[in-house]
Amino acid sequence: MDLQAVVDDIVALMSPRLGEGKVADYIPELARVEPKQFGIAITTVDGQTFTAGDATVPFSIQSISKVFMLTLALGKMGESIWKRVGREPSGSSFNSIVQLEHEHGIPRNPFINAGAIVVTDMVLAGHKPREAIGEFLRFMRYLADDDTITIDETVAKSEHLTGYRNFALANFMRGFGNLEHAVELVLGVYFHQCALAMNCLQLSHAGLYLANRGTNPLTGFSVVSPKRARRINALMLMCGHYDGSGDFAYHVGLPGKSGVGGGILAIAPGKASIAVWSPGLNKVGNSALGSEALEMLATRTGWSVFGN
């Protein structure tokens, strides 16, 4: 299969539709992003990389960071983390507070905002916020094998100034005893992890351990066990697109995690790590063109986990 021809064709098909969807204007810095952009990168487990479009333009990875923070938390605390966060699809929007009341401050999964805030609280244990942010940044540079990756401080500040819903979620969980650190400290780390800037090429490298049984084949570094990689992929498939997760599984059939910056990381287990980016979002907060591009890719490659 000529994967370069596939990604080139996808970019050509998307070009007339650039700008579709709506950028995440509730975060002022993201509202300023030029919407008419689209990039795609595929890195295969045998080390080949295929890129097209705006694949080297950095963007704010936002909630895609939750996959990597979950990996860090599992490394620090193991399976005990599931006492404080669930593993079920939420069926609600990413910043919903509704279920927390009924479920006594235990978020449904680690990929909705409430669940990710709890995971960040776990990673913060034993650290000052600055140290936890540094640990996360070093981890991302290690995964992508790229020391140029940085956190966009302007985006982090923008999120901090407008993140009222996240403050409400964190205070609510603190009230239930499911947050061990001060809300301000936890959210300081959370906003910085979401403000990490990466491009599609870097992101496809960073996710490669999930496609290759927990080991990055480009570096040979073992990141997690094969069992843990499989379980993270399962959570991405069920919960990675909020209340659009079922629809994404139906159309694309790959584990994936979206972010409101317009990026999506998708994993074809045993085959490749894929990153797409287009800033315009659909009604459930996932990249409109990115989701369609991944459906095209899954159709043409036969990579769906459910078969050709």
Side-chain angles (χ1 to χ4, degrees):
M1 186 184 352
D2 187 347
L3 286 175
Q4 189 60 54
V6 171
V7 294
D8 287 340
D9 192 36
I10 288 172
V11 167
L13 290 168
M14 290 298 169
S15 291
R17 300 175 56 190
L18 293 181
E20 284 189 18
K22 182 182 178 185
V23 296
D25 54 9
Y26 60 89
I27 300 173
E29 280 302 309
L30 296 188
R32 297 192 177 101
V33 175
E34 166 55 53
K36 293 186 177 181
Q37 300 184 82
F38 176 86
I40 182 168
I42 300 172
T43 303
T44 61
V45 294
D46 61 0
Q48 298 183 77
T49 298
F50 307 90
T51 62
D54 300 305
T56 57
V57 177
F59 61 91
S60 187
I61 72 166
Q62 293 294 312
S63 286
I64 300 171
S65 67
K66 296 170 182 177
V67 174
F68 303 111
M69 279 299 254
L70 174 63
T71 303
L72 273 179
L74 283 165
K76 292 182 80 166
M77 303 185 67
E79 296 295 304
S80 68
I81 75 167
W82 305 120
K83 295 174 183 174
R84 295 178 56 192
V85 62
R87 298 189 295 265
E88 297 294 335
S90 68
S92 301
S93 62
F94 59 89
N95 58 2
S96 173
I97 201 169
V98 176
Q99 288 167 335
L100 283 175
E101 176 74 52
H102 294 290
E103 296 170 3
H104 308 291
I106 306 292
R108 275 284 175 96
N109 66 69
F111 295 150
I112 54 174
N113 286 18
I117 290 167
V118 171
V119 168
T120 299
D121 184 60
M122 296 177 195
V123 172
L124 186 52
H127 293 302
K128 294 177 181 177
R130 186 182 299 274
E131 293 168 347
I133 293 165
E135 180 184 17
F136 174 69
L137 181 58
R138 285 192 299 273
F139 184 55
M140 295 308 300
R141 289 172 170 175
Y142 162 77
L143 291 178
D145 197 23
D146 189 334
D147 286 339
T148 67
I149 294 168
T150 58
I151 290 170
D152 189 325
E153 291 288 344
T154 309
V155 173
K157 185 177 180 181
S158 182
E159 292 196 56
H160 193 273
L161 291 172
T162 57
Y164 307 114
R165 291 287 287 266
N166 287 319
F167 275 98
L169 291 167
N171 277 299
F172 203 70
M173 292 186 293
R174 178 87 161 156
F176 275 106
N178 198 21
L179 220 59
E180 295 178 354
H181 300 85
V183 165
E184 189 76 25
L185 300 181
V186 178
L187 289 181
V189 178
Y190 178 73
F191 293 139
H192 276 80
Q193 78 183 54
C194 290
L196 190 77
M198 297 178 77
N199 60 42
C200 289
L201 180 59
Q202 293 166 331
L203 188 56
S204 72
H205 287 168
L208 203 53
Y209 71 101
L210 293 170
N212 192 53
R213 295 172 55 80
T215 299
N216 185 333
L218 298 182
T219 61
F221 297 145
S222 175
V223 182
V224 296
S225 68
K227 181 179 182 180
R228 184 160 288 168
R230 188 171 70 246
R231 287 180 165 178
I232 294 170
N233 281 330
L235 286 165
M236 290 171 70
L237 183 69
M238 294 186 297
C239 312
H241 285 74
Y242 313 118
D243 45 335
S245 297
D247 199 56
F248 187 82
Y250 181 86
H251 287 285
V252 180
L254 294 174
K257 183 72 200 80
S258 64
V260 296
I264 303 175
L265 171 67
I267 304 297
K271 297 181 175 68
S273 171
I274 308 125
V276 295
W277 170 62
S278 189
L281 308 179
N282 60 22
K283 291 179 180 178
V284 290
N286 304 316
S287 175
L289 295 187
S291 299
E292 290 196 33
L294 287 168
E295 182 176 3
M296 289 180 192
L297 180 68
T299 299
R300 296 185 187 197
T301 58
W303 282 351
S304 168
V305 297
F306 302 110
N308 295 346

